[in-house]
Amino acid sequence: MVKLDFGKANGLIPAIAQDHKTGEVLMLAYMNEASFNETLKSGKATYYSRSRDSLWKKGETSGHVQHVKEIRVDCDLDTVLLKVDQVGDAACHKGYRSCFYSKVVEGELTIAESKIFDPKEVYK
Amino acid sequence: MVKLDFGKANGLIPAIAQDHKTGEVLMLAYMNEASFNETLKSGKATYYSRSRDSLWKKGETSGHVQHVKEIRVDCDLDTVLLKVDQVGDAACHKGYRSCFYSKVVEGELTIAESKIFDPKEVYK
């Protein structure tokens, strides 16, 4: 079994979700050991919500599940990279494909992508 | 000025470095406010080393500097995505292009990439 290093930051490690076809970085969330094991078992990205303090099955409310195609682990065994197939094309709860829709231009943030869905329609 | 949320995890936020041409995820490290500001100012990726507890100018020892082509910030303002030009083609101190050279296959880690340099030759 893969043993990751959950000891550095209160049992949590960052997990990056990347589109397995385009290479686009969709989001970063956190995993504890239980969520990593659940991701391995289910084949669907499962994180740990720091704000809700509980396991977070991505897409449970929105339907925007991430099917895991490949799992990479970094050299220090303390970061996970998931290559995923993003259902609904949008990973961000604000309606964008990627959570990284803001770009720094001359020291200020500008929105660099278009919304794919209206959050009010998806999270009722 | 861009104001990020450094308040959630002891003043540090994760920063992902991605090859600006290929989309390959090269590494994940951490930034405090000073390292983010230094990255903006210098145009070179500057992190915060948790193990050395100090500012970390990536490539200072190895020469494997990361020239920042674009900076993205996520929807919660607590993660940075750097699109970089990786000098020397290798980001990982173990000699691989990406720190994510290990792949999970049937519950075990296997090395999925080849080394680009010999760490003993670079870090003397």
Side-chain angles (χ1 to χ4, degrees):
Chain A
M1 275 298 293
V2 180
K3 275 286 171 198
L4 303 183
D5 181 0
F6 289 98
K8 287 176 185 159
N10 300 320
L12 298 180
I13 60 174
I16 304 159
Q18 181 182 31
D19 185 289
H20 78 114
K21 280 188 184 155
T22 64
E24 198 173 356
V25 175
L26 301 172
M27 59 181 281
L28 180 141
Y30 292 84
M31 285 187 170
N32 63 359
E33 196 162 10
S35 57
F36 180 66
N37 290 338
E38 179 62 24
T39 300
L40 283 177
K41 198 178 131 198
S42 67
K44 293 177 195 166
T46 307
Y47 304 105
Y48 189 85
S49 167
R50 295 186 300 176
S51 55
R52 294 193 299 269
D53 209 11
S54 64
L55 219 68
W56 165 28
K57 295 187 176 185
K58 169 74 183 159
E60 214 169 23
T61 308
S62 63
H64 296 164
V65 171
Q66 294 172 337
H67 294 288
V68 177
K69 298 292 185 180
E70 190 176 319
I71 302 178
R72 296 285 188 116
V73 170
D74 83 337
C75 49
D76 294 326
L77 302 175
D78 61 6
T79 306
V80 168
L81 172 63
L82 303 177
K83 300 198 181 187
V84 304
D85 179 15
Q86 175 66 63
V87 172
D89 286 337
C92 183
H93 71 295
K94 295 206 170 172
Y96 296 92
R97 172 152 177 72
S98 161
C99 292
F100 297 94
Y101 57 82
S102 297
K103 184 174 168 176
V104 180
V105 180
E106 293 172 5
E108 302 293 339
L109 287 182
T110 56
I111 292 180
E113 296 184 13
S114 302
K115 279 193 187 183
I116 284 182
F117 69 85
D118 179 354
K120 285 185 208 139
E121 294 298 313
V122 170
Y123 303 98
K124 286 176 183 170
Chain B
M1 276 296 293
V2 179
K3 276 287 172 197
L4 303 183
D5 181 0
F6 289 98
K8 287 177 186 160
N10 300 319
L12 298 180
I13 60 173
I16 304 160
Q18 181 182 31
D19 185 288
H20 78 114
K21 280 188 185 155
T22 65
E24 197 174 356
V25 175
L26 301 173
M27 59 181 281
L28 180 140
Y30 292 85
M31 285 186 170
N32 63 0
E33 196 163 8
S35 57
F36 180 67
N37 289 338
E38 179 61 24
T39 300
L40 282 179
K41 197 178 130 198
S42 67
K44 293 176 194 166
T46 307
Y47 303 105
Y48 189 85
S49 166
R50 295 187 300 177
S51 56
R52 294 193 299 270
D53 208 10
S54 63
L55 218 68
W56 165 28
K57 294 186 176 185
K58 169 74 183 159
E60 212 169 25
T61 309
S62 64
H64 295 164
V65 171
Q66 294 172 338
H67 294 287
V68 177
K69 299 292 185 181
E70 189 176 319
I71 302 178
R72 295 286 187 116
V73 170
D74 82 337
C75 50
D76 294 326
L77 303 175
D78 62 6
T79 307
V80 168
L81 172 64
L82 302 176
K83 302 199 181 187
V84 304
D85 179 16
Q86 175 66 62
V87 172
D89 286 337
C92 183
H93 71 295
K94 296 206 170 170
Y96 296 92
R97 172 152 177 72
S98 161
C99 291
F100 297 94
Y101 58 80
S102 297
K103 184 175 168 176
V104 180
V105 180
E106 292 172 8
E108 302 292 339
L109 287 182
T110 56
I111 292 180
E113 295 184 13
S114 302
K115 278 193 187 184
I116 284 181
F117 70 83
D118 179 355
K120 285 184 208 139
E121 294 297 313
V122 171
Y123 302 98
K124 285 176 182 170

